[in-house]
Amino acid sequence: MYSFSAFRGLLPGALAAAVSTAALAAPVYDGATATQCIPFANPQAVSFTNAPRLNVSVGPVRGYTSVQMDTGSVGVALSAGKIPDFQALKARPDSKPGTQYLSSSKILWVGTWVHTTVTLHDGKGAPVAVAYVPVLGVEQAGSCPSYQQDGKICSGLAPAVNGSVFYMGVGFGQEADFQPEGTPDKNVLLNLVRLNGQPIAAGSLNPGYIIGRQGIQVGLTAANTAGFSFAKLEPYAQYPGDWLPPKGCLVVNPSENGDKCVTANVLVDTGIPQSYMTVPAGTKLTTVQAPDASEPKKTIGVLAKGNSVSVSFPATAPFIATDSFTVGGGTPVEPVQVIPNVTDKHPPFINTGRHFLRQYQFLYDAKQGYLGIKAQPNACGEK
């Protein structure tokens, strides 16, 4: 769940390397057979009105909890007192101090990464997938706006050992946004060890997922990827095993700014209903003051009615998907608000928010490094 600051820390060379091109070749899934549909815990009549949630348990299964699934962050965070045997896990040599920061809400969690199982359950509570990953046992939590500027833990954070923190990030390439610990080894959906009660056979799992309207399919196969259009991602050199976020072609108010693409980092973020974008200085747009969707007590500038926004994947034609809307037009893909930042201090960027997913399925191939797009719906979770 990230806003303007996403990817600000990428080195210039990494930015250049991140420019995606439409993949003439598609990924190959020979031998990949392991897959599982995990329905969302909160089926919605109008998909992605609210953030999708999954039924999750941590450690030995003693029930489960509905947890928000966020593609704008990476890793599971849970109040330390709710992790079974936390103190024993913390004493193990593979535990280490850690943090998780949500830049759109300015919340910082501080605690200890401990290794344990995370189980995903279907809509009836049956366990269908198990991962073994580090989980952040949150021991302190609170607002820390200055963390975006200095990366320092704010003093006076409240104790959270017995709090109500429970969050699951399943994104990729987010390390540059004050999340250097958000590496692929912490992503539950990419580190599965069992499906439907059975160990996963060696070589049968191609790690990745497909986000549908009512569920998420884990494990990519030739069958469940049929019909997708693909764009190649670039390796994240600073974090081996991860992939840089996709690049897109961003066009704002073409009648005033021209229809030439601005190459921008793109984040499709299930965690928020609004959109954030950073565009070059001189971009013509109009704003009005409105309450911030993430912080309603705060008033911010948002795009006024009549402004148009279009983002296409990848950064250059041929495109595999285009998401376009006019503010106030009332189309299903329009975010609840668009918060612009007009500056040359940071590279162009757009966080589409989750309404993008009303139109398109989103595929992430963590093994071969591909983004895949296909029109909704996906069969997973649909009644």
Side-chain angles (χ1 to χ4, degrees), residues 23 80 188 193 231 247 293:
V188 169
V193 294
K247 289 279 190 172

Side-chain angles (χ1 to χ4, degrees), residues 37-41 48 52 54 69 210-217 376 378-382:
C37 166
I38 306 172
F40 294 143
F48 299 105
L54 295 173
M69 186 195 82
I210 301 168
I211 302 175
R213 294 189 305 191
Q214 304 293 350
I216 186 164
Q217 189 82 28
Q376 292 278 22
N378 183 282
C380 179
E382 296 284 345

Side-chain angles (χ1 to χ4, degrees), residues 78-92 95-96 110-116 135-139 161:
L78 174 61
S79 295
K82 295 183 179 179
I83 298 177
D85 305 317
F86 174 74
Q87 292 301 329
L89 294 172
K90 184 177 179 179
R92 288 173 39 170
S95 69
K96 49 181 72 171
V110 181
T112 305
W113 292 105
V114 297
H115 287 73
T116 188
V135 171
L136 182 65
V138 180
E139 297 165 283
V161 171

Side-chain angles (χ1 to χ4, degrees), residues 91-289:
R92 288 173 39 170
D94 58 358
S95 69
K96 49 181 72 171
T99 60
Q100 175 69 287
Y101 187 64
L102 306 180
S103 64
S104 59
S105 55
K106 314 299 187 292
I107 297 297
L108 178 65
W109 295 322
V110 181
T112 305
W113 292 105
V114 297
H115 287 73
T116 188
T117 56
V118 176
T119 302
L120 303 172
H121 303 254
D122 67 14
K124 296 181 179 179
V128 293
V130 180
Y132 185 75
V133 292
V135 171
L136 182 65
V138 180
E139 297 165 283
Q140 293 178 284
S143 178
C144 189
S146 62
Y147 195 78
Q148 284 183 290
Q149 282 73 50
D150 57 24
K152 296 180 180 178
I153 296 172
C154 295
S155 61
L157 294 179
V161 171
N162 298 312
S164 58
V165 174
F166 202 171
Y167 203 78
M168 187 169 76
V170 299
F172 65 96
Q174 297 298 308
E175 291 90 344
D177 192 22
F178 302 100
Q179 199 184 164
E181 299 166 19
T183 45
D185 62 302
K186 299 183 177 75
N187 192 325
V188 169
L189 302 184
L190 306 181
N191 292 277
L192 300 171
V193 294
R194 299 177 72 86
L195 291 177
N196 275 320
Q198 300 299 317
I200 297 173
S204 68
L205 178 68
N206 191 115
Y209 53 75
I210 301 168
I211 302 175
R213 294 189 305 191
Q214 304 293 350
I216 186 164
Q217 189 82 28
V218 295
L220 303 179
T221 68
N224 65 32
T225 61
F228 275 83
S229 297
F230 294 94
K232 191 74 178 74
L233 300 171
E234 295 296 329
Y236 204 146
Q238 295 164 268
Y239 298 95
D242 208 354
W243 302 89
L244 287 166
K247 289 279 190 172
C249 163
L250 178 61
V251 178
V252 178
N253 294 334
S255 61
E256 299 177 71
N257 298 306
D259 58 4
K260 182 179 178 181
C261 285
V262 173
T263 299
N265 296 297
V266 184
L267 171 62
V268 176
D269 191 347
T270 58
I272 57 174
Q274 71 269 39
S275 174
Y276 294 88
M277 68 179 187
T278 299
V279 292
T283 301
K284 296 177 182 178
L285 50 81
T286 56
T287 62
V288 295
Q289 294 294 301

